[in-house]
Amino acid sequence: MITVSDKAKERILQLKKEEGREENDNIRVSVKGGGCSGLKYDLNFDATVVDSDQVFEDKGIKILVDRKSLLYLAGTILEFSDGLNGKGFQFVNPNASRTCGCGESFSV
């Protein structure tokens, strides 16, 4: 399961409104090859749910994850920071053995 912090929820709802997204636009989280540490996170809006997706809901936010990515993301918390040390979505991933300095890529 992937959970969403309160700040991440607020930012997702704000982005949906700013971008004129529909109610059925969910958050899709996936893992792709690349980045400094070998794997990188991909986060976007997606209204299409396919059979191979796992669907989670936390704090009213639906999250879509493909089966392959779920192996890397189980137990992850989606955070949002707007502080001085960086702004944006961050992943607190208990499966990552190493992350890069920017937090956008990881390895297991």
Side-chain angles (χ1 to χ4, degrees):
M1 176 165 182
I2 296 176
T3 56
V4 179
S5 72
D6 289 333
K7 283 191 103 171
K9 174 189 173 181
E10 290 172 22
R11 183 63 179 143
I12 290 167
L13 295 175
Q14 182 182 22
L15 284 171
K16 280 179 102 169
K17 185 176 181 181
E18 288 173 2
E19 295 180 10
R21 298 285 179 170
E22 299 293 326
E23 181 67 29
N24 66 338
D25 282 328
N26 303 302
I27 295 294
R28 179 171 294 282
V29 181
S30 60
V31 173
K32 300 183 182 209
C36 321
S37 298
L39 297 169
K40 64 181 181 177
Y41 301 105
D42 188 45
L43 178 69
N44 56 55
F45 288 109
D46 192 347
T48 306
V49 179
V50 296
D51 289 340
S52 61
D53 284 339
Q54 296 290 314
V55 181
F56 302 101
E57 186 168 343
D58 187 42
K59 297 181 179 67
I61 303 294
K62 283 191 180 176
I63 303 164
L64 313 176
V65 182
D66 64 86
R67 285 187 189 137
K68 179 183 169 193
S69 296
L70 186 59
L71 297 172
Y72 300 106
L73 295 171
T76 295
I77 301 169
L78 179 60
E79 295 272 359
F80 182 78
S81 173
D82 55 2
L84 294 174
N85 290 335
K87 183 174 184 174
F89 289 100
Q90 300 168 335
F91 297 87
V92 179
N93 187 342
N95 305 300
S97 62
R98 186 179 80 215
T99 59
C100 68
C102 65
E104 293 181 11
S105 68
F106 69 102
S107 64
V108 289

